[in-house]
Amino acid sequence: MRAAFVTEPSAADPVAAIRVGELEPPAAPDGWIRVDVRAGALNMHDLWTLRGVTRRPHTGPHVLGSDAAGVAGGRDVVVYPVLAAAGTGAVAHATLLPDAGHGVLAEHIAVPAGHVVARPAHLDWAEAASLPTAWLTAYRMLFTKAALAPGQVVLVQGAGGGVATAAVSLAAAAGATVVVTSRSPRKRQQALALGAAAAFDTGARLPEPADVVIETVGTATFEHSTRSTRAGGTIVVCGGTSGFTASLDLTRLFAREITVHGSTMGTLEEFRAMLDFVAEHRLRPAVDSTVDLAEVSTQAERMLSGTAFGKLCVRVA
């Protein structure tokens, strides 16, 4: 089968570490099923893997990818990307499929039978493959961690990433007023088209504080996030594309009684709920571009450049 994989990571040149070639199809252990992949999508996690930052020792080919949609047992499905640690269902103790040796950017993959959920019928393969990691993360941030309610104001920092674009669509569909920030005028306009009510330059003073802040950028925006949160509001953090260290004004935090949540991925129940929400509201993920598997390196380069808006997808079959 064809697959995108890494054998020798490179911290200096992660894109050069990508290989596309033939591998043996994986065996399906008891309780697992085969999925014939139609499309996948890249995440920042894949770039960390290419750099050699992973929980899994690099022994032999390491298939990339956490996001996939395909066909299993005659059904069109989307793959849940998380494996819980043995003896626990907690997301905090879980790992993504590729870190456990089950990457999904391949023609054929094996996953636990319970990890496949029906593809929303209105989505094409690339759109469906955009959902597992980014949309699940955004869903948990908004609805589980922040308990988003209709009419609240949601600030999404950094308008172009997969989680950010997902958060805009999900929050707008839930009846929130969404505002976004970006250094790029083009991305600000694209966010408005997704359902944001307003878009501002990074760091700009907002017309009103937010009830909920979705923070994926980190160092470059976190101080602005605390300044932009109303009293009693919530900041939810899932990553830091600009860096993982940020200063924090503790006076503002306790005087306004701001809650800060860390969040990572989501449970299988949240995954199913997210797909139901997408189907009910006929939401379509923002797809930046789709290429054939042989051209996956171009998507990694685009991710590194920071110019993409939405998900970077790969056509597998």
Side-chain angles (χ1 to χ4, degrees):
M1 67 170 189
R2 288 193 313 148
F5 56 91
V6 56
T7 53
E8 294 291 336
S10 172
D13 191 357
V15 176
I18 298 174
R19 298 288 179 268
V20 178
E22 294 291 327
L23 295 177
E24 287 296 317
D30 289 345
W32 290 48
I33 59 172
R34 168 172 155 156
V35 179
D36 298 323
V37 177
R38 296 290 183 262
L42 290 183
N43 294 285
M44 283 300 297
H45 184 82
D46 296 305
L47 290 179
W48 289 114
T49 299
L50 291 165
R51 291 180 171 121
V53 183
T54 175
R55 298 180 186 180
R56 181 173 184 254
H58 284 281
T59 54
H62 183 155
V63 177
L64 299 167
S66 308
D67 293 348
V71 178
R75 295 191 301 142
D76 293 352
V77 299
V78 185
V79 176
Y80 176 59
V82 181
L83 285 175
T88 175
V91 175
H93 299 287
T95 186
L96 288 170
L97 287 168
D99 287 342
H102 306 289
V104 300
L105 284 182
E107 290 179 314
H108 312 295
I109 62 174
V111 299
H115 278 49
V116 296
V117 182
R119 173 179 66 142
H122 68 288
L123 299 183
D124 64 27
W125 288 116
E127 291 169 332
S130 300
L131 296 173
T133 302
W135 279 65
L136 175 58
T137 298
Y139 185 91
R140 180 178 176 87
M141 293 173 79
L142 288 166
F143 300 111
T144 302
K145 295 295 186 177
L148 180 66
Q152 290 187 318
V153 175
V154 176
L155 166 62
V156 179
Q157 297 279 24
V163 174
T165 54
V168 171
S169 294
L170 288 166
T177 298
V178 183
V179 296
V180 303
T181 66
S182 175
R183 292 172 297 177
S184 165
R186 176 181 62 85
K187 290 183 180 181
R188 295 199 294 268
Q189 288 301 313
Q190 289 172 304
L192 293 173
L194 279 184
F200 300 92
D201 195 5
T202 300
R205 183 180 179 88
L206 305 184
E208 63 176 318
D211 299 284
V212 176
V213 178
I214 298 300
E215 176 61 79
T216 67
V217 180
T219 302
T221 59
F222 195 79
E223 195 273 337
H224 181 256
S225 291
T226 58
R227 282 194 286 112
S228 302
T229 306
R230 74 169 66 252
T234 301
I235 302 170
V236 191
V237 185
C238 75
T241 55
S242 68
F244 298 106
T245 302
S247 61
L248 179 61
D249 184 338
L250 293 177
T251 304
R252 182 176 288 119
L253 193 70
F254 67 71
R256 294 188 183 180
E257 297 193 274
I258 295 170
T259 299
V260 180
H261 285 290
S263 189
T264 182
M265 297 303 300
T267 65
L268 181 56
E269 290 73 22
E270 288 166 331
F271 186 66
R272 291 182 176 129
M274 178 271 292
L275 291 173
D276 287 344
F277 189 92
V278 168
E280 177 187 354
H281 294 276
R282 298 189 66 81
L283 300 179
R284 290 189 176 275
V287 174
D288 177 86
S289 54
T290 305
V291 303
D292 289 332
L293 185 62
E295 301 168 32
V296 65
S297 292
T298 65
Q299 299 296 63
E301 289 172 350
R302 188 158 174 77
M303 181 170 285
L304 276 174
S305 75
T307 57
F309 185 87
K311 294 296 290 183
L312 292 157
C313 296
V314 180
R315 189 181 304 106
V316 178

